[in-house]
Structures are given as C-alpha cells and as structure tokens.
Amino acid sequence: MKYSSVWTAFALAASVVAVPSRRTDFRIKESVAIPRRWVKRDSAPRDLHINLRFALPQSNFPLLEQLLYEVSDPSHESYGAHLSQAEVNELIAPHPESVRQVKAWLASYGLREEDMSCSPAEDWIKVKVPIGLAEEMLDTEYHMWDHPEGDSFVLATAYSLPEYLHEHVELVQPTTLFSRLRSMKTTLHFAPSGASSAAVANAPPIAVPSASNGQVDASCNSTITISCIRQLYNAANYTPLADTGNQIAVTGYMEQFASFSDLQTFFAEQVPSAVNSSFQVVSINGGQNDQSMLGSGEANLDTQFAFGLAHPIPPTFYSTGGSPPFIPDELTVNNTNEPYLEWVEFVLQHPNPPTTISTSYGDDEQSVPTSYATRVCSLFAQLGARGVTLIFSSGDSGVGDGNPDPATQECFANDGTNQTRFLPAFPASCPYVTAVGGTVQIPEVAVNFSGGGFSNIFSQPAYQSQQVENFLKTLPNGTYAGLFNASGRAYPDVSAQAVNFSIVFEGEPAGVSGTSCASPTFAGLVALLNDARLRNGMPSLGFLNPMLYALNGAGFNDITSGNNPGCGTPGFNATVGWDPVTGLGTPSFGKLKDLIGITD
C-alpha cells in the first residue's frame, strides 16, 4: 500500500443514540429550479417501480484526488504508479456508521438487507421501490416531466431526508436530474459523387511540416479517413501490437447500435488488415447491440474510427441501456437520464478496465445538479487513479446551449434569474477527464461549433491555471463580463479533426461531423501511445491532463485561428497557446511518443 488507511473524522451524534423516527425532523436535502421548456404532466403512478440510489460520503476522496494527481504528474516520483481496485475502494469507502444509519433507515420502511444492493466500497446503496414508497421516504412528489424534443422522465423538483441522515447521504437519484443526454454529432450526410471525390484525390498533396512525411493527401481536405488522421497526426508508420494488455473502448447510449457488417465494409475500404476482426459488446443496464435493427451514425462513427485507428488493440463497445421516451403503462422505469452512473459503476467493478475509453455524449452542465455532477466526476477520478484515460467530446454548440444552431440558442441561467450566460457542457467540464474540441481543414483551424468554456460547478485545477491565465490576459478588459466563470475548470484540453469523417452507414458511405468525431480520433491515438509504453514495460498513461499541461504545447499543433460562436456572441477565439476552443491543439503522435519516453 502506498498510504496508510485514514478515516475522516465524523461528527456523528447519531452513532450513540437510537435511530430517530423515520417521519420526524425532515429537512430538504436538495431542490432545483425547473429548467426552461420542461413541462410537468401527471403525477407518476404510485405503483411504478424505480431504482433509488443513495450516495454515501466517500471517506477519503481528498486523498484519492491527491494520489490521482501524483500518479498522473510526470514530474512526481509516483508517476505511473496507478492504484489497484482494492486501494481505490478502501479510499472511497464511507464511514461504517453512515452505512449502518442508512441501512437502518431503509429497514424502517420494511426493506430487507437482501433488497439493498451495494457497490463494492458500499459508497452507493440501491433499492427498487414503488413510487408511492419513494415519495413517503423522501417526503416528495414524483411527476411525469416532458421536454418538447421528445424526452420524458419521472422526476421530483425537491426531496427531503430526516435531519440526522443529511451527513450520511450526499444525494439521492433519480430525483432532480433534468438531464437530456445527446450525442455530440452535428450532421450525417451521404458521401458526394465519386467523380468529385476523384478530382480532389488527384490534386497534389498538402504540405504540413508536422505531418508524417511532411504532407497530407489533398483528399483529406474534403473527406477524413483513417489514413488522413494517421498522416496528419504523424502516426502513419506506427503499428501497434495486440497482446500488450492494452485495450480501447467506446461508449454507446440511447439505443445507438454499432453495425458489425458496416464495420467490415469500413475495414475493407480503410483498414484492410482489420478485415474479419470485430469488437466485444458489453451490455450494461440491459443495453443491446441488435443487429436486426439499423445501426446508428454515432455508434458506427465511434467504433469505426477508434477501433480502426487502434487496430489490433482489443476493442470494446459498451452499450448502456435506458433511453427515452418513458412508457408509463409498463409500470417500470426502463429509461434513465443518469446513464453515466450506470456505466461508470459497472466499469469500476471490473478488475481490468480498458486503458482508453471515449465518450461522445454530453449535456448542458446547468441541467445537472451540482451534487450529481460532483459525485459522477469523483467516479471518473477513481478510474483515472486506476490508470484509465477518459476522453469526452467537448460539445457541438460553441459557448452556447445544446442547440447547434447559434441563431436559436437560449443561453439563460437556470437559477431563476434568466440572465444570459455561456452554458458549459458536462461531463466535459469535469476536471478528471480529457475534453476534446474540434478542428477543420488542412492546415487546421478551429471549427465554429467546437464546445468550450468554463465550468460553473468545478473550480479550475492547478494543472491548467498558468495556461488559462495566459489566455485570459489576451481578452480585452470587460470582454464577456458576467457571461462566464473565469475561475472555473476550463475546457477543452485538446482538439482533433471534427468535420466530414467518412464512415459506413447502412452499407453506404456517409459523412459525419461533430466533436463526436474528435473524441474517438484522439482516443485512438492515445491507445497507440499506450501501446508504445506497455510494449516497453511502462504503465499506461492514465489520467492525461497533468501531463498534457506540463508539456505546455510540446507534442501538439497549436491552432490559432477560428472561434466558437454562441449565445449571440462570436464566442472565444483560438489563439497562441491554450484557448477554450481548441485547448492545447491537435496531437503529433510521433512527438508525443518521444516526449513520454519512447524512442525508436
């Protein structure tokens, strides 16, 4: 063990007295303002069953965070000494008194020990109960809530707990989470005619000094392929191995299925060496990958590019179930607006999770209660401490809300004031993940939809403070005053190409754009870097950000042109150094490989 087990001191008066009556001294634990455009419908059926999750305080999370930064900092003596699953669980286990008090309270409602399922560290307790009982336990009311774009959830705008339980419970869900998960994909279109594509392909190569062999095929300025990415990001001549223990994964939500047949067509066209290879499908919460149904642009994009770039590194597609619309007459909640909990809890229980995982989904940060965002972000930190690199798309709405059309964005703070504010994205705003923005063209410029900005929930981590300060000095005094939180966690961290990716969809060539393209692209390159480390007896990179910012631009192509408009403004500008449009820039695999200690 790298540390001695220390329990955080708890002022637990309840530990020496009997458990109070379950119906006395209730006090509101959490309440939220109703987000714009959500409409309350009927009361939820009282016999409808939901899975209530109780998050118990993690006893030593500050120490876990400290160790995460130490094992992720290349200047620290513990760099790369990732924690084991058992070490992480010991650090985040709640105080036994919290477990006792919560279980005793649940038992007072007739719930037996076998009705309660716990995470390995017992920091989560889950029970399946009818709505009527949940309303009694939480002194609340559940209703059906509808969003005009089709989402429908069972939610409460506030809930309460007995006074004595407040110090033992951080949050309860599903309650106040008006989150609308969406893929970060702006467009999907079918490919142009072969004649026009051939004309571009016959043009002379584009000179790019940082690229492999100093040039990139001219066709890459109209269509991005695996070859384009490898050329542009200086990885054309690298071949990974299949047996180093390295793994790569992408996540799928909202019944987004990845087609095996489309993958084979894609491989035949772009990665011939990968033909007849496939990926493992892992089902979470009833997630499927039904091949009798049409595949999806999002899942096909993620699997084709991440796994195509990383082949033959073993790939996994996580299919997490639960998606709207809710069907009330089934008397069970099959949908969920909290899929990250389902997914990350599952992966944390795996003794050997993939070393690189890409997610191209997100939501407006303000739709996520602070308690929920903080807890989910802490789960991401646990994976990072174990040597897993988590990569998220930064969003497709510039500095605005989830609407990719800047002209129709509604950038209002969800705090009752209706003040205009830039709207950051979550989970991209979590300081324990790597957020990837988007670029376009060769030579590269920032693409105008690249999500970026500053969190209103998470404070700015020390690893990026100098680069962010340098950027803020470039803004004229008063620029966007009151529209963003300059002391918040700033994102994206890096960027990659995000426009006109050539995939196969329903057996036909199609083009996709969005930071959904950038995330699996960057993930594929990280998987190659992990391959280089593992085959040389070094540990995986794990949480990237402290290392990336310590490099201070080395190993990256600085993007200095373009902006990300939104909320009726031009947004931020890409500039020299880090910026909230393209981060530190786009990767140069060859340079990064040398910088992480691997030489040919």
Side-chain angles (χ1 to χ4, degrees):
M1 300 286 287
K2 307 178 190 66
Y3 57 88
S4 59
S5 177
V6 179
W7 289 112
T8 303
F10 270 69
L12 300 174
S15 64
V16 294
V17 298
V19 177
S21 167
R22 71 189 192 197
R23 296 300 304 156
T24 61
D25 300 323
F26 267 70
R27 179 165 59 88
I28 290 178
K29 177 66 176 176
E30 185 171 44
S31 63
V32 296
I34 301 169
R36 294 172 62 87
R37 304 180 71 194
W38 283 92
V39 178
K40 183 167 71 173
R41 246 189 334 113
D42 304 328
S43 295
R46 291 181 59 80
D47 51 354
L48 175 76
H49 281 71
I50 58 174
N51 289 313
L52 280 183
R53 299 167 180 269
F54 295 82
L56 279 58
Q58 296 172 330
S59 59
N60 255 332
F61 182 77
L63 179 55
L64 173 73
E65 182 184 48
Q66 175 188 329
L67 294 172
L68 168 66
Y69 285 133
E70 289 177 359
V71 301
S72 306
D73 179 357
S75 67
H76 196 277
E77 62 181 2
S78 296
Y79 180 60
H82 305 305
L83 277 62
S84 69
Q85 183 182 33
E87 289 173 322
V88 168
N89 286 344
E90 183 177 350
L91 281 166
I92 54 91
H95 194 285
E97 183 63 17
S98 292
V99 178
R100 188 188 75 82
Q101 291 280 9
V102 174
K103 286 187 173 182
W105 177 73
L106 291 172
S108 74
Y109 286 92
L111 294 166
R112 302 163 300 176
E113 185 79 23
E114 54 264 36
D115 297 323
M116 309 172 198
S117 61
C118 298
S119 63
E122 291 195 311
D123 58 328
W124 288 93
I125 298 177
K126 184 165 64 175
V127 294
K128 187 173 185 178
V129 297
I131 287 284
L133 179 57
E135 291 180 331
E136 181 183 353
M137 294 167 66
L138 302 178
D139 195 25
T140 190
E141 294 181 357
Y142 280 89
H143 288 84
M144 294 297 305
W145 288 86
D146 290 347
H147 191 277
E149 294 180 19
D151 292 322
S152 184
F153 296 117
V154 173
L155 298 167
T157 56
Y159 66 92
S160 300
L161 289 170
E163 182 94 27
Y164 78 95
L165 274 187
H166 278 232
E167 61 185 328
H168 301 297
V169 176
E170 284 190 351
L171 75 151
V172 183
Q173 289 293 344
T175 49
T176 56
L177 180 63
F178 284 81
S179 176
R180 298 182 58 247
L181 185 72
R182 60 184 179 273
S183 63
M184 302 302 189
K185 181 175 82 279
T186 58
T187 60
L188 185 150
H189 58 271
F190 286 97
S193 68
S196 60
S197 297
V200 174
N202 291 330
I206 306 167
V208 180
S210 60
S212 297
N213 303 317
Q215 60 184 28
V216 177
D217 294 343
S219 61
C220 299
N221 237 337
S222 60
T223 304
I224 295 293
T225 63
I226 294 290
S227 175
C228 292
I229 294 298
R230 281 183 164 267
Q231 292 175 58
L232 181 61
Y233 296 142
N234 194 15
N237 301 315
Y238 188 83
T239 302
L241 300 177
D243 58 356
T244 63
N246 198 10
Q247 301 175 64
I248 184 170
V250 299
T251 63
Y253 300 99
M254 303 169 61
E255 297 184 356
Q256 298 276 306
F257 301 149
S259 168
F260 292 124
S261 61
D262 284 348
L263 180 70
Q264 292 306 312
T265 303
F266 177 86
F267 280 164
E269 295 175 354
Q270 297 199 32
V271 194
S273 62
V275 170
N276 295 325
S277 68
S278 191
F279 52 86
Q280 177 188 17
V281 177
V282 175
S283 173
I284 302 171
N285 191 35
Q288 303 295 317
N289 195 43
D290 191 344
Q291 297 301 296
S292 68
M293 300 176 64
L294 296 177
S296 70
E298 180 61 68
N300 278 9
L301 164 67
D302 292 341
T303 53
Q304 290 171 18
F305 265 84
F307 302 162
L309 283 166
H311 178 74
I313 296 168
T316 296
F317 176 63
Y318 286 112
S319 179
T320 300
S323 64
F326 166 70
I327 304 173
D329 59 4
E330 290 186 355
L331 297 184
T332 182
V333 175
N334 287 327
N335 70 315
T336 177
N337 56 339
E338 50 180 25
Y340 298 122
L341 273 181
E342 297 281 358
W343 176 78
V344 72
E345 283 184 333
F346 180 93
V347 177
L348 279 168
Q349 294 183 45
H350 195 291
N352 184 34
T355 44
T356 307
I357 305 176
S358 172
T359 298
S360 293
Y361 298 78
D363 202 353
D364 296 338
E365 185 186 70
Q366 72 169 3
S367 73
V368 182
T370 297
S371 63
Y372 179 88
T374 302
R375 188 57 179 246
V376 170
C377 192
S378 76
L379 297 174
F380 295 152
Q382 293 174 43
L383 281 174
R386 291 176 57 188
V388 177
T389 299
L390 293 176
I391 298 170
F392 283 82
S393 300
S394 71
D396 289 353
S397 307
V399 296
D401 68 2
N403 189 337
D405 180 4
T408 57
Q409 287 179 352
E410 296 182 340
C411 300
F412 298 104
N414 187 32
D415 57 6
T417 64
N418 279 339
Q419 292 181 332
T420 300
R421 292 290 298 270
F422 290 168
L423 299 181
F426 179 82
S429 63
C430 171
Y432 311 125
V433 307
T434 299
V436 187
T439 62
V440 65
Q441 300 177 4
I442 301 171
E444 294 179 276
V445 299
V447 69
N448 61 2
F449 55 70
S450 182
F454 298 79
S455 174
N456 292 314
I457 292 178
F458 302 103
S459 60
Q460 194 170 109
Y463 62 69
Q464 66 173 186
S465 59
Q466 186 59 62
Q467 286 90 343
V468 175
E469 180 182 348
N470 292 342
F471 170 78
L472 292 173
K473 289 177 180 177
T474 69
L475 294 178
N477 288 339
T479 300
Y480 301 147
L483 293 182
F484 72 98
N485 173 28
S487 61
R489 186 293 205 242
Y491 74 98
D493 303 296
V494 295
S495 52
Q497 285 279 319
V499 176
N500 286 335
F501 274 51
S502 177
I503 68 169
V504 175
F505 178 65
E506 298 179 18
E508 299 292 333
V512 183
S513 298
T515 54
S516 275
C517 302
S519 184
T521 294
F522 192 79
L525 295 170
V526 171
L528 298 185
L529 291 172
N530 276 333
D531 174 84
R533 287 178 64 85
L534 291 168
R535 68 202 291 180
N536 281 274
M538 304 168 72
S540 63
L541 288 166
F543 176 43
L544 293 177
N545 293 6
M547 182 267 289
L548 297 180
Y549 285 90
L551 292 175
N552 198 28
F556 285 85
N557 311 307
D558 195 9
I559 310 301
T560 60
S561 180
N563 60 300
N564 58 352
C567 303
T569 75
F572 296 110
N573 290 325
T575 188
V576 174
W578 179 90
D579 57 70
V581 191
T582 62
L584 296 165
T586 60
S588 172
F589 170 79
K591 291 181 180 179
L592 286 170
K593 184 167 66 71
D594 293 341
L595 289 168
I596 62 173
I598 305 298
T599 57
D600 295 328

